[in-house]
Amino acid sequence: MEKIPASEITPEHLYFTRRQFIAAASAVAAGALLSACGVPSPPPTARPTIAQPSPQASKGVDELGDKLTPFDTITNYNNFYEFSLDKEDVAPRAKDFKTSPWTVQVGGLVNKPRTFGLEDLLKFEQEERIYRLRCVEAWSMVIPWLGFPLSKLLAQVEPQSKAKYVRFETLLDPKQMPGQRDSYFDWPYVEGLRLDEAMHDLTILATGLYGKPLPPQDGAPIRLVVPWKYGFKSIKSIVKIDLVEAMPISFWMESAPNEYGFYANVNPDVSHPRWSQATERRIGEFSRRKTILFNGYADQVAPLYAGMDLRKNF
Amino acid sequence: MLHALRTQWLRVVVHIGAWIPFAVIVWDALTNQLGAEPIRETILRTGKTALILLVLSLACTPANTLFGFKSALKVRRALGLYAFFYALAHATMFIGVDYGFDLALLQGALLERPYALVGAAAFLILLPLALTSTKGWMKRLGRRWTMLHRGVYLAALLVIAHFVWLVKLDVREPLTYGAIVLLLLALRIRLIREGVVRLRAL
């Protein structure tokens, strides 16, 4: 009997996308209804509000009143070296990237190691989070993500007391990711967070944006989003998450240790060794804007770094 | 006309070719094809064009001394001036459009970090060279003109440093330009030049 390749048997995936599409569509419809009824928008709060079904996105601004970056821009201007070094070439090259079946192996110093299928990850309640994304290259966007707090996933695997850091790894598949054939870089892409950063409520695993499943070029099917850190910390297309004792060495730390540190917190006063981080260009705007400490999330995350020298721990 | 074309073809190529990157930028700007960061894109493109033209202008003298390609000398000044004009556009976009002449911001961007500073230094070296590129200044300065214009190599090396420091990680492209500049510089050294000429004569 001929063996049917695993790639042919993916009903879960089909179920999932259909279900997610319906959920997204109803969210959009509900949002439209709400705004059509003239429901007054809630007063801006310092905390990005959970939006279900998405009153924030229908407002089209983040909690600071900054406009959302258009979907087309978010999906056509991407730093994703696995596909191309050219930000505008990532989308066409990632077009046929296969995101199902997909599993994320969660292990290391945990009591209940587990491999999650994408369908398992989508069972976590998906919420909308509107976050600013500040790239280390001094440009920024405002993105309405769909996802869930990483803390919820970590709670399920029960980190042991020895675990101090979380290490993330991107898929290694040079056949699909042409950039990985370039041995100039040290693949696969690796990132890390301190456990308390990983457990912070602002830290999410994103599975979508603008109410739609994540497009490949934005890190499909699941990526990290840490809004107070430079964009490169928000690792894409994750296949492995490990709880570890020692600080992980990230892709960028490995490549240029004196330029890219482990923390990579957005900070206008700590410049990159070669360029200033004092200002940024919000994509779509003409003038530069001043960069804000912790990308505007200082109220929530500054306590994580109390007493730390942010210049040394860049 | 045909005769002129036969003897002047390199000039025609240079004068038309040098305007093409500019025309493409204007076209892309008008048709909204400069991407998500049009200002940055324009700065990058004018900078890259300036570097390429500068490298070509440096290649003219060796092309003549090593290969007897005399017409190259006739386009050397034009290439250098076009390089300067793209550098001027590049600097103007950076200071005037990207930073909107905001002196406080510019001071931070320029003085705090080396890459912009090195670019500015290269530009300040090229400026007097462009101004003294006429026959009149050549005569007036005599031997000092040659000395002054050797500064172009320093400018080129600074431009390479500017390019290397600008990229986030992958320095292969700027280093390739760097290798070309070093090679062209080496070919100006008498011993190496004569060695190459002798090799060719064998």
Side-chain angles (χ1 to χ4, degrees):
Chain A
M1 202 183 90
E2 217 182 303
K3 223 177 143 190
I4 303 164
S7 56
E8 306 258 7
I9 334 172
T10 49
E12 295 95 333
H13 149 248
L14 288 179
Y15 279 132
F16 147 62
T17 38
R18 205 178 306 147
R19 224 186 302 149
Q20 196 183 42
F21 175 73
I22 293 166
S26 39
V28 169
L33 255 175
L34 279 178
S35 50
C37 299
V39 174
S41 40
T45 52
R47 215 179 169 73
T49 351
I50 295 162
Q52 193 65 278
S54 126
Q56 287 261 2
S58 62
K59 251 184 6 182
V61 292
D62 68 6
E63 85 283 5
L64 301 179
D66 289 346
K67 262 203 219 118
L68 299 187
T69 304
F71 179 80
D72 277 350
T73 310
I74 298 172
T75 53
N76 285 292
Y77 196 72
N78 311 92
N79 264 326
F80 201 168
Y81 282 13
E82 280 81 345
F83 291 102
S84 173
L85 299 180
D86 176 351
K87 287 188 267 295
E88 275 156 356
D89 196 32
V90 171
R93 285 190 187 228
K95 184 166 53 73
D96 300 320
F97 183 58
K98 277 184 70 174
T99 53
S100 74
W102 192 278
T103 56
V104 181
Q105 205 184 318
V106 187
L109 302 170
V110 297
N111 291 329
K112 296 180 172 168
R114 185 179 157 190
T115 298
F116 292 84
L118 187 57
E119 56 287 351
D120 306 320
L121 296 167
L122 286 154
K123 281 181 198 142
F124 289 96
E125 190 192 339
Q126 308 289 310
E127 2 172 315
E128 182 165 76
R129 298 280 185 104
I130 297 175
Y131 285 158
R132 291 170 291 284
L133 177 107
R134 167 64 157 79
C135 179
V136 73
E137 295 167 2
W139 54 266
S140 60
M141 296 183 178
V142 182
I143 304 177
W145 300 106
L146 209 56
F148 60 94
L150 173 62
S151 61
K152 287 193 182 171
L153 178 95
L154 296 181
Q156 288 208 355
V157 296
E158 296 179 10
Q160 296 166 1
S161 56
K162 264 193 299 178
K164 298 283 183 289
Y165 294 91
V166 186
R167 181 185 180 279
F168 305 84
E169 208 174 289
T170 296
L171 175 72
L172 179 66
D173 184 359
K175 267 194 204 125
Q176 285 205 81
M177 296 174 141
Q180 290 180 339
R181 288 173 223 156
D182 186 345
S183 55
Y184 185 81
F185 302 101
D186 201 7
W187 307 110
Y189 198 94
V190 170
E191 259 309 338
L193 292 175
R194 222 168 53 191
L195 189 56
D196 56 345
E197 297 174 323
M199 295 300 286
H200 195 281
D201 183 57
L202 285 179
T203 304
I204 60 164
L205 286 171
T207 57
L209 59 87
Y210 267 106
K212 298 176 195 159
L214 215 52
Q217 62 270 33
D218 290 287
I222 188 157
R223 67 170 291 167
L224 183 70
V225 181
V226 197
W228 71 93
K229 293 177 180 284
Y230 292 118
F232 66 83
K233 291 296 287 184
S234 294
I235 182 171
K236 303 186 181 86
S237 305
I238 300 168
V239 290
K240 207 163 177 285
I241 300 175
D242 282 312
L243 282 285
V244 293
E245 196 172 354
M247 179 188 281
I249 306 293
S250 72
F251 175 89
W252 286 97
M253 288 163 77
E254 180 85 46
S255 304
N258 48 352
E259 300 198 343
Y260 304 98
F262 176 78
Y263 287 96
N265 291 318
V266 175
N267 190 337
D269 300 322
V270 179
S271 283
H272 184 278
R274 292 175 287 128
W275 59 78
S276 162
Q277 295 290 19
T279 63
E280 68 199 53
R281 169 158 290 106
R282 181 65 48 81
I283 300 292
E285 290 182 354
F286 190 77
S287 303
R288 286 181 164 268
R289 7 166 114 218
K290 293 219 153 75
T291 290
I292 339 175
L293 181 62
F294 295 117
N295 206 18
Y297 302 97
D299 286 350
Q300 293 103 302
V301 301
L304 292 173
Y305 309 102
M308 271 175 74
D309 183 343
L310 296 175
R311 273 175 200 282
K312 274 192 196 136
N313 300 286
F314 58 93
Chain B
M1 173 71 192
L2 256 177
H3 173 78
L5 231 143
R6 208 173 303 139
T7 52
Q8 304 283 325
W9 66 270
L10 191 58
R11 277 191 175 179
V12 176
V13 168
V14 165
H15 284 285
I16 292 176
W19 283 100
I20 289 175
F22 180 77
V24 173
I25 291 172
V26 171
W27 173 259
D28 284 349
L30 293 175
T31 54
N32 213 0
Q33 291 185 75
L34 285 173
E37 271 201 283
I39 297 171
R40 183 181 160 83
E41 178 69 16
T42 308
I43 292 173
L44 290 178
R45 284 202 210 175
T46 47
K48 178 77 82 62
T49 309
L51 171 60
I52 291 172
L53 290 167
L54 191 64
V55 168
L56 287 174
S57 78
L58 293 179
C60 291
T61 305
N64 176 51
T65 51
L66 298 181
F67 306 104
F69 187 46
K70 267 210 181 93
S71 342
L73 292 181
K74 288 188 185 153
V75 294
R76 190 174 62 174
R77 172 165 52 193
L79 284 169
L81 280 173
Y82 279 122
F84 175 75
F85 284 122
Y86 277 98
L88 181 65
H90 177 73
T92 309
M93 285 295 293
F94 177 75
I95 294 168
V97 182
D98 196 357
Y99 278 84
F101 295 108
D102 187 326
L103 293 182
L105 283 186
L106 275 166
Q107 197 185 344
L110 271 172
L111 298 180
E112 199 179 339
R113 295 296 142 190
Y115 97 89
L117 192 63
V118 162
F123 182 77
L124 290 179
I125 294 174
L126 291 177
L127 179 67
L129 304 195
L131 294 177
T132 60
S133 66
T134 58
K135 281 222 173 80
W137 274 106
M138 237 169 160
K139 264 189 208 142
R140 230 167 292 164
L141 293 173
R143 189 173 291 167
R144 279 173 300 161
W145 189 91
T146 315
M147 295 287 287
L148 178 67
H149 280 248
R150 284 206 179 121
V152 73
Y153 283 99
L154 179 59
L157 291 174
L158 290 174
V159 169
I160 298 295
H162 175 64
F163 193 0
V164 170
W165 275 334
L166 155 82
V167 301
K168 197 155 71 168
L169 185 58
D170 184 2
V171 290
R172 283 171 293 186
E173 190 189 357
L175 288 185
T176 306
Y177 283 102
I180 297 172
V181 169
L182 285 178
L183 175 73
L184 292 171
L185 182 57
L187 290 174
R188 299 298 300 266
I189 297 167
R190 184 183 283 167
L191 214 67
I192 295 174
R193 186 179 64 217
E194 285 170 355
V196 175
V197 172
R198 217 169 297 138
L199 267 177
R200 285 200 67 238
L202 284 179

